[in-house]
Amino acid sequence: MIECGGGGGDSNDEDAEDMSGHWGILVSDPWLQNQFTQVELRSLKSHFMSMRRESGRLVIADLASKMSRLKVVGENLSEEERASCVKDVYQNTEEEVDFELFLKVYLKLQTFVNSRTGSSPKNSSAFLKAATTTLLHTISESEKASYVAHINHYLAQDEFLKKYLPIDPSTNELFEIAKDGVLLCKLINVAVPGTIDERAINTKRILNPWERNENHTLCLNSAKAIGCTVVNIGTQDFIEGRRHLVLGVISQIIKIQLLADLDLKKTPQLLELLDDSKDMEEFMNLPPEKILLRWMNFHLKKAGYKKIVTNFSSDVKDAEAYAHLLNVLAPEHTNLSTLAVKNPFERAKLVLEHADKMGCKRYLTARDIVEGSPNLNLAFVAHIFQHRNGLSAQTKQQMSLLETFPDDTQDSREERAFRLWMNSFGNSTYINNVFEDLRNGWVLLETLDKVSPGIVNWKIANKPPIKMPFRKVENCNQVVKIGKQLKFSLVNVAGNDIVQGNKKLILAYLWQLMRYNILQLLKNLRFYSRGKEINDADILEWANSKVSSSRSQSRMDSFKDKSLSDGIFFLELLSSVTPRAVNWGLVTKGVTYQEKKMNATYIISIARKLGCSIFLLPEDITEVNPKMILTLTASIMSWCLKHPHEERTVGTSDNESGGQLETTSNSTLDDSASDSSLDENGNI
């Protein structure tokens, strides 16, 4: 067990990062320095500073709840368990926490997690992130084996990958194959088809460092665009094969794929779970995991199971819920002895035999069930849902109910873009629906603090869970107040409008916040702007000038210019930024809708491969959504201005995809917008 004593001083935390973005000495204790790599220290330092900003000071009593956002100790320990563990070592809960004490508490909790889950060479693989660290990162061998089986199944017919598949789950072959980025890009397209235009993937047998880096940049930006959380993960982590990070991204991609059908639009039969048609909107706003639990409990109630399953860990460890669920879904394979067995492990084996007979034995073993592996249990139940959901065919009543529900396609696209953009900041709460999850104001305050550090007064902010409605209004009032401070157009807008979930106003606010973020990032490129305010006209002028300099006749009259729908202008813009970016042999004339969409998909993938973190869809280009067009242009502009002196012809190659770029870096510009509620200047 790690002995946790008092922490050393941590003066001038706010100044720990210098103007060039490099961190100085983060801890003075040599023992602590040896427990972490510098990458880990920077990540933990960022979390620590964020926690402290929220309340002005951080005391030991706060750590149990605030450390929920740290992956290992947050996912594997309840708040009560964290509090108990911390209290065992630190009696004075009002003691103020500095960074070194924070690290010691973190190590203490991580040790507790490892001891409780029984991490050992038998069931996990421990490895060092760097030669200088003694901090062990463990990965579940069961999870790795399950994800390898998933990859072997879904990518077996891929023309490029089939020479590497099947992967042997007993080795580290997965992480070696993932080093060139192709596997992860292909897996993203399996999860959300069409996310990446495969013409943009570098698929030579041997890639040079630039090409490999491009693939990983494309992968990371595309992963964010489908809803993965990839904060503090960079291309180098994949190139070096850091297994816990690679497996973490793979886990999220597979989870998105398995939960894709848990949506009323894709599976209208889910209406059978509703007791009242009035619950429909609330049901549509539930995250997929909650819908899956609701589906499971719906069938368990039919089976006469008395308990309510609330999670995919402790509530299913005895395998009784699974036995009842499968008896309802596949009664023809029922084994009467399953529920009579007293030993949970033996019962779990019988459950998996039942699942195997109905074609659903995938993702977990009997040991994973009794150990309560949350990721694998969720994957198992989601797979059962995909294979046999046991719901009735659509009734006329259900069809009519769906028809009466408004289909706000534009609002849905914008909501998706804003949601993914906000999630890319790595806030404490993952947003599943902006109209519901922003109503307490907290995530909006966190996002504002990321966009404009120090602008939020955390002393008057109310942290969730918030039971009193007026506390939510207080948070949202501060959100509106800050918006006005940033010169957003918020005429007759009050905090209560956000609390009430006013869709038009929320979309309007988020568009202005995103636009402000983009313009500030451009302004901060002082060598270009010299500190002056950047506006839409500057972005338009830059893009036309750039394309013109490459001797092209294309021109964009405005961000509403309908001629942009064929995508040619943006392909020429990308080509002017990086000459080898576009393989013109793959570009269509953009005459038919299908040709326009192919060009749009190619544009988005090239921009992400370049380093632009964007969240728009091909339809936003083909339909010329002016605000999405603005943010796409600004993202390309930002990347170009950050690389003013780089050689544009690096990386000569004859790769099969034809896309050639130079070394890339991740941009923080995110492209999405709301067109339904604002005019061109961002006014409501």
mmCIF file with all atom_site columns, all heavy atoms in Angstrom, residues 262 281-291 294 432-433:
data_model
loop_
_atom_site.group_PDB
_atom_site.id
_atom_site.type_symbol
_atom_site.label_atom_id
_atom_site.label_alt_id
_atom_site.label_comp_id
_atom_site.label_asym_id
_atom_site.label_entity_id
_atom_site.label_seq_id
_atom_site.pdbx_PDB_ins_code
_atom_site.Cartn_x
_atom_site.Cartn_y
_atom_site.Cartn_z
_atom_site.occupancy
_atom_site.B_iso_or_equiv
_atom_site.pdbx_formal_charge
_atom_site.auth_seq_id
_atom_site.auth_comp_id
_atom_site.auth_asym_id
_atom_site.auth_atom_id
_atom_site.pdbx_PDB_model_num
ATOM 1   N N   . LEU A 1 262 ? -30.344 1.868  -30.114 1.00 0.00 ? 262 LEU A N   1
ATOM 2   C CA  . LEU A 1 262 ? -31.185 2.248  -28.982 1.00 0.00 ? 262 LEU A CA  1
ATOM 3   C C   . LEU A 1 262 ? -31.673 3.679  -29.152 1.00 0.00 ? 262 LEU A C   1
ATOM 4   O O   . LEU A 1 262 ? -31.359 4.588  -28.394 1.00 0.00 ? 262 LEU A O   1
ATOM 5   C CB  . LEU A 1 262 ? -30.409 2.071  -27.669 1.00 0.00 ? 262 LEU A CB  1
ATOM 6   C CG  . LEU A 1 262 ? -30.264 0.591  -27.293 1.00 0.00 ? 262 LEU A CG  1
ATOM 7   C CD1 . LEU A 1 262 ? -28.986 0.347  -26.536 1.00 0.00 ? 262 LEU A CD1 1
ATOM 8   C CD2 . LEU A 1 262 ? -31.468 0.137  -26.495 1.00 0.00 ? 262 LEU A CD2 1
ATOM 9   N N   . GLU A 1 281 ? -41.012 12.345 -25.260 1.00 0.00 ? 281 GLU A N   1
ATOM 10  C CA  . GLU A 1 281 ? -39.913 13.298 -25.417 1.00 0.00 ? 281 GLU A CA  1
ATOM 11  C C   . GLU A 1 281 ? -38.836 13.049 -24.370 1.00 0.00 ? 281 GLU A C   1
ATOM 12  O O   . GLU A 1 281 ? -37.642 13.084 -24.667 1.00 0.00 ? 281 GLU A O   1
ATOM 13  C CB  . GLU A 1 281 ? -40.424 14.741 -25.318 1.00 0.00 ? 281 GLU A CB  1
ATOM 14  C CG  . GLU A 1 281 ? -39.330 15.763 -25.590 1.00 0.00 ? 281 GLU A CG  1
ATOM 15  C CD  . GLU A 1 281 ? -39.884 17.165 -25.778 1.00 0.00 ? 281 GLU A CD  1
ATOM 16  O OE1 . GLU A 1 281 ? -41.111 17.358 -25.619 1.00 0.00 ? 281 GLU A OE1 1
ATOM 17  O OE2 . GLU A 1 281 ? -39.088 18.054 -26.083 1.00 0.00 ? 281 GLU A OE2 1
ATOM 18  N N   . GLU A 1 282 ? -39.268 12.779 -23.128 1.00 0.00 ? 282 GLU A N   1
ATOM 19  C CA  . GLU A 1 282 ? -38.307 12.476 -22.072 1.00 0.00 ? 282 GLU A CA  1
ATOM 20  C C   . GLU A 1 282 ? -37.513 11.218 -22.419 1.00 0.00 ? 282 GLU A C   1
ATOM 21  O O   . GLU A 1 282 ? -36.304 11.151 -22.231 1.00 0.00 ? 282 GLU A O   1
ATOM 22  C CB  . GLU A 1 282 ? -39.047 12.286 -20.747 1.00 0.00 ? 282 GLU A CB  1
ATOM 23  C CG  . GLU A 1 282 ? -38.135 11.952 -19.582 1.00 0.00 ? 282 GLU A CG  1
ATOM 24  C CD  . GLU A 1 282 ? -38.903 11.647 -18.302 1.00 0.00 ? 282 GLU A CD  1
ATOM 25  O OE1 . GLU A 1 282 ? -40.117 11.953 -18.248 1.00 0.00 ? 282 GLU A OE1 1
ATOM 26  O OE2 . GLU A 1 282 ? -38.291 11.097 -17.375 1.00 0.00 ? 282 GLU A OE2 1
ATOM 27  N N   . PHE A 1 283 ? -38.213 10.222 -22.969 1.00 0.00 ? 283 PHE A N   1
ATOM 28  C CA  . PHE A 1 283 ? -37.573 8.955  -23.338 1.00 0.00 ? 283 PHE A CA  1
ATOM 29  C C   . PHE A 1 283 ? -36.534 9.183  -24.434 1.00 0.00 ? 283 PHE A C   1
ATOM 30  O O   . PHE A 1 283 ? -35.442 8.613  -24.397 1.00 0.00 ? 283 PHE A O   1
ATOM 31  C CB  . PHE A 1 283 ? -38.636 7.965  -23.817 1.00 0.00 ? 283 PHE A CB  1
ATOM 32  C CG  . PHE A 1 283 ? -38.107 6.602  -24.163 1.00 0.00 ? 283 PHE A CG  1
ATOM 33  C CD1 . PHE A 1 283 ? -37.843 5.671  -23.177 1.00 0.00 ? 283 PHE A CD1 1
ATOM 34  C CD2 . PHE A 1 283 ? -37.868 6.252  -25.487 1.00 0.00 ? 283 PHE A CD2 1
ATOM 35  C CE1 . PHE A 1 283 ? -37.349 4.408  -23.496 1.00 0.00 ? 283 PHE A CE1 1
ATOM 36  C CE2 . PHE A 1 283 ? -37.374 5.000  -25.814 1.00 0.00 ? 283 PHE A CE2 1
ATOM 37  C CZ  . PHE A 1 283 ? -37.121 4.073  -24.813 1.00 0.00 ? 283 PHE A CZ  1
ATOM 38  N N   . MET A 1 284 ? -36.857 10.029 -25.402 1.00 0.00 ? 284 MET A N   1
ATOM 39  C CA  . MET A 1 284 ? -35.929 10.294 -26.510 1.00 0.00 ? 284 MET A CA  1
ATOM 40  C C   . MET A 1 284 ? -34.669 11.000 -26.038 1.00 0.00 ? 284 MET A C   1
ATOM 41  O O   . MET A 1 284 ? -33.633 10.943 -26.704 1.00 0.00 ? 284 MET A O   1
ATOM 42  C CB  . MET A 1 284 ? -36.621 11.126 -27.589 1.00 0.00 ? 284 MET A CB  1
ATOM 43  C CG  . MET A 1 284 ? -37.701 10.370 -28.348 1.00 0.00 ? 284 MET A CG  1
ATOM 44  S SD  . MET A 1 284 ? -38.372 11.312 -29.732 1.00 0.00 ? 284 MET A SD  1
ATOM 45  C CE  . MET A 1 284 ? -37.066 11.149 -30.945 1.00 0.00 ? 284 MET A CE  1
ATOM 46  N N   . ASN A 1 285 ? -34.744 11.658 -24.884 1.00 0.00 ? 285 ASN A N   1
ATOM 47  C CA  . ASN A 1 285 ? -33.588 12.376 -24.369 1.00 0.00 ? 285 ASN A CA  1
ATOM 48  C C   . ASN A 1 285 ? -32.711 11.522 -23.464 1.00 0.00 ? 285 ASN A C   1
ATOM 49  O O   . ASN A 1 285 ? -31.667 11.977 -22.994 1.00 0.00 ? 285 ASN A O   1
ATOM 50  C CB  . ASN A 1 285 ? -34.042 13.621 -23.596 1.00 0.00 ? 285 ASN A CB  1
ATOM 51  C CG  . ASN A 1 285 ? -34.646 14.676 -24.508 1.00 0.00 ? 285 ASN A CG  1
ATOM 52  O OD1 . ASN A 1 285 ? -34.257 14.795 -25.666 1.00 0.00 ? 285 ASN A OD1 1
ATOM 53  N ND2 . ASN A 1 285 ? -35.610 15.431 -24.006 1.00 0.00 ? 285 ASN A ND2 1
ATOM 54  N N   . LEU A 1 286 ? -33.126 10.279 -23.199 1.00 0.00 ? 286 LEU A N   1
ATOM 55  C CA  . LEU A 1 286 ? -32.337 9.403  -22.344 1.00 0.00 ? 286 LEU A CA  1
ATOM 56  C C   . LEU A 1 286 ? -31.074 8.950  -23.079 1.00 0.00 ? 286 LEU A C   1
ATOM 57  O O   . LEU A 1 286 ? -31.104 8.696  -24.281 1.00 0.00 ? 286 LEU A O   1
ATOM 58  C CB  . LEU A 1 286 ? -33.146 8.167  -21.947 1.00 0.00 ? 286 LEU A CB  1
ATOM 59  C CG  . LEU A 1 286 ? -34.279 8.333  -20.935 1.00 0.00 ? 286 LEU A CG  1
ATOM 60  C CD1 . LEU A 1 286 ? -35.018 7.010  -20.764 1.00 0.00 ? 286 LEU A CD1 1
ATOM 61  C CD2 . LEU A 1 286 ? -33.755 8.815  -19.595 1.00 0.00 ? 286 LEU A CD2 1
ATOM 62  N N   . PRO A 1 287 ? -29.956 8.808  -22.351 1.00 0.00 ? 287 PRO A N   1
ATOM 63  C CA  . PRO A 1 287 ? -28.761 8.237  -22.989 1.00 0.00 ? 287 PRO A CA  1
ATOM 64  C C   . PRO A 1 287 ? -29.007 6.772  -23.328 1.00 0.00 ? 287 PRO A C   1
ATOM 65  O O   . PRO A 1 287 ? -29.824 6.109  -22.679 1.00 0.00 ? 287 PRO A O   1
ATOM 66  C CB  . PRO A 1 287 ? -27.673 8.401  -21.920 1.00 0.00 ? 287 PRO A CB  1
ATOM 67  C CG  . PRO A 1 287 ? -28.395 8.563  -20.628 1.00 0.00 ? 287 PRO A CG  1
ATOM 68  C CD  . PRO A 1 287 ? -29.702 9.208  -20.957 1.00 0.00 ? 287 PRO A CD  1
ATOM 69  N N   . PRO A 1 288 ? -28.317 6.234  -24.333 1.00 0.00 ? 288 PRO A N   1
ATOM 70  C CA  . PRO A 1 288 ? -28.553 4.852  -24.766 1.00 0.00 ? 288 PRO A CA  1
ATOM 71  C C   . PRO A 1 288 ? -28.440 3.824  -23.647 1.00 0.00 ? 288 PRO A C   1
ATOM 72  O O   . PRO A 1 288 ? -29.205 2.862  -23.604 1.00 0.00 ? 288 PRO A O   1
ATOM 73  C CB  . PRO A 1 288 ? -27.483 4.629  -25.835 1.00 0.00 ? 288 PRO A CB  1
ATOM 74  C CG  . PRO A 1 288 ? -27.147 5.989  -26.329 1.00 0.00 ? 288 PRO A CG  1
ATOM 75  C CD  . PRO A 1 288 ? -27.312 6.912  -25.164 1.00 0.00 ? 288 PRO A CD  1
ATOM 76  N N   . GLU A 1 289 ? -27.483 4.024  -22.722 1.00 0.00 ? 289 GLU A N   1
ATOM 77  C CA  . GLU A 1 289 ? -27.324 3.060  -21.625 1.00 0.00 ? 289 GLU A CA  1
ATOM 78  C C   . GLU A 1 289 ? -28.579 2.985  -20.766 1.00 0.00 ? 289 GLU A C   1
ATOM 79  O O   . GLU A 1 289 ? -28.973 1.903  -20.317 1.00 0.00 ? 289 GLU A O   1
ATOM 80  C CB  . GLU A 1 289 ? -26.134 3.441  -20.731 1.00 0.00 ? 289 GLU A CB  1
ATOM 81  C CG  . GLU A 1 289 ? -24.802 3.459  -21.442 1.00 0.00 ? 289 GLU A CG  1
ATOM 82  C CD  . GLU A 1 289 ? -24.413 4.836  -21.938 1.00 0.00 ? 289 GLU A CD  1
ATOM 83  O OE1 . GLU A 1 289 ? -25.274 5.534  -22.508 1.00 0.00 ? 289 GLU A OE1 1
ATOM 84  O OE2 . GLU A 1 289 ? -23.259 5.227  -21.746 1.00 0.00 ? 289 GLU A OE2 1
ATOM 85  N N   . LYS A 1 290 ? -29.207 4.138  -20.540 1.00 0.00 ? 290 LYS A N   1
ATOM 86  C CA  . LYS A 1 290 ? -30.424 4.173  -19.727 1.00 0.00 ? 290 LYS A CA  1
ATOM 87  C C   . LYS A 1 290 ? -31.578 3.481  -20.453 1.00 0.00 ? 290 LYS A C   1
ATOM 88  O O   . LYS A 1 290 ? -32.402 2.805  -19.830 1.00 0.00 ? 290 LYS A O   1
ATOM 89  C CB  . LYS A 1 290 ? -30.796 5.619  -19.402 1.00 0.00 ? 290 LYS A CB  1
ATOM 90  C CG  . LYS A 1 290 ? -29.781 6.362  -18.539 1.00 0.00 ? 290 LYS A CG  1
ATOM 91  C CD  . LYS A 1 290 ? -29.744 5.823  -17.129 1.00 0.00 ? 290 LYS A CD  1
ATOM 92  C CE  . LYS A 1 290 ? -28.813 6.660  -16.248 1.00 0.00 ? 290 LYS A CE  1
ATOM 93  N NZ  . LYS A 1 290 ? -28.691 6.080  -14.880 1.00 0.00 ? 290 LYS A NZ  1
ATOM 94  N N   . ILE A 1 291 ? -31.641 3.669  -21.760 1.00 0.00 ? 291 ILE A N   1
ATOM 95  C CA  . ILE A 1 291 ? -32.688 3.001  -22.547 1.00 0.00 ? 291 ILE A CA  1
ATOM 96  C C   . ILE A 1 291 ? -32.476 1.489  -22.511 1.00 0.00 ? 291 ILE A C   1
ATOM 97  O O   . ILE A 1 291 ? -33.433 0.713  -22.389 1.00 0.00 ? 291 ILE A O   1
ATOM 98  C CB  . ILE A 1 291 ? -32.696 3.518  -23.993 1.00 0.00 ? 291 ILE A CB  1
ATOM 99  C CG1 . ILE A 1 291 ? -33.070 5.010  -24.021 1.00 0.00 ? 291 ILE A CG1 1
ATOM 100 C CG2 . ILE A 1 291 ? -33.656 2.718  -24.855 1.00 0.00 ? 291 ILE A CG2 1
ATOM 101 C CD1 . ILE A 1 291 ? -33.034 5.633  -25.399 1.00 0.00 ? 291 ILE A CD1 1
ATOM 102 N N   . ARG A 1 294 ? -33.675 0.233  -19.273 1.00 0.00 ? 294 ARG A N   1
ATOM 103 C CA  . ARG A 1 294 ? -35.132 0.259  -19.243 1.00 0.00 ? 294 ARG A CA  1
ATOM 104 C C   . ARG A 1 294 ? -35.707 -0.917 -20.033 1.00 0.00 ? 294 ARG A C   1
ATOM 105 O O   . ARG A 1 294 ? -36.688 -1.541 -19.614 1.00 0.00 ? 294 ARG A O   1
ATOM 106 C CB  . ARG A 1 294 ? -35.631 1.585  -19.822 1.00 0.00 ? 294 ARG A CB  1
ATOM 107 C CG  . ARG A 1 294 ? -37.114 1.838  -19.609 1.00 0.00 ? 294 ARG A CG  1
ATOM 108 C CD  . ARG A 1 294 ? -37.401 3.314  -19.713 1.00 0.00 ? 294 ARG A CD  1
ATOM 109 N NE  . ARG A 1 294 ? -38.827 3.603  -19.667 1.00 0.00 ? 294 ARG A NE  1
ATOM 110 C CZ  . ARG A 1 294 ? -39.343 4.825  -19.639 1.00 0.00 ? 294 ARG A CZ  1
ATOM 111 N NH1 . ARG A 1 294 ? -38.538 5.870  -19.643 1.00 0.00 ? 294 ARG A NH1 1
ATOM 112 N NH2 . ARG A 1 294 ? -40.642 5.014  -19.601 1.00 0.00 ? 294 ARG A NH2 1
ATOM 113 N N   . ASN A 1 432 ? -25.535 14.097 -23.273 1.00 0.00 ? 432 ASN A N   1
ATOM 114 C CA  . ASN A 1 432 ? -26.247 13.230 -24.205 1.00 0.00 ? 432 ASN A CA  1
ATOM 115 C C   . ASN A 1 432 ? -27.281 14.010 -25.010 1.00 0.00 ? 432 ASN A C   1
ATOM 116 O O   . ASN A 1 432 ? -27.628 13.619 -26.121 1.00 0.00 ? 432 ASN A O   1
ATOM 117 C CB  . ASN A 1 432 ? -26.925 12.087 -23.451 1.00 0.00 ? 432 ASN A CB  1
ATOM 118 C CG  . ASN A 1 432 ? -25.932 11.078 -22.910 1.00 0.00 ? 432 ASN A CG  1
ATOM 119 O OD1 . ASN A 1 432 ? -25.336 10.313 -23.652 1.00 0.00 ? 432 ASN A OD1 1
ATOM 120 N ND2 . ASN A 1 432 ? -25.717 11.095 -21.600 1.00 0.00 ? 432 ASN A ND2 1
ATOM 121 N N   . ASN A 1 433 ? -27.782 15.103 -24.435 1.00 0.00 ? 433 ASN A N   1
ATOM 122 C CA  . ASN A 1 433 ? -28.772 15.931 -25.119 1.00 0.00 ? 433 ASN A CA  1
ATOM 123 C C   . ASN A 1 433 ? -28.655 17.345 -24.573 1.00 0.00 ? 433 ASN A C   1
ATOM 124 O O   . ASN A 1 433 ? -28.864 17.571 -23.373 1.00 0.00 ? 433 ASN A O   1
ATOM 125 C CB  . ASN A 1 433 ? -30.181 15.380 -24.877 1.00 0.00 ? 433 ASN A CB  1
ATOM 126 C CG  . ASN A 1 433 ? -31.242 16.142 -25.646 1.00 0.00 ? 433 ASN A CG  1
ATOM 127 O OD1 . ASN A 1 433 ? -31.533 17.300 -25.339 1.00 0.00 ? 433 ASN A OD1 1
ATOM 128 N ND2 . ASN A 1 433 ? -31.845 15.506 -26.632 1.00 0.00 ? 433 ASN A ND2 1
#
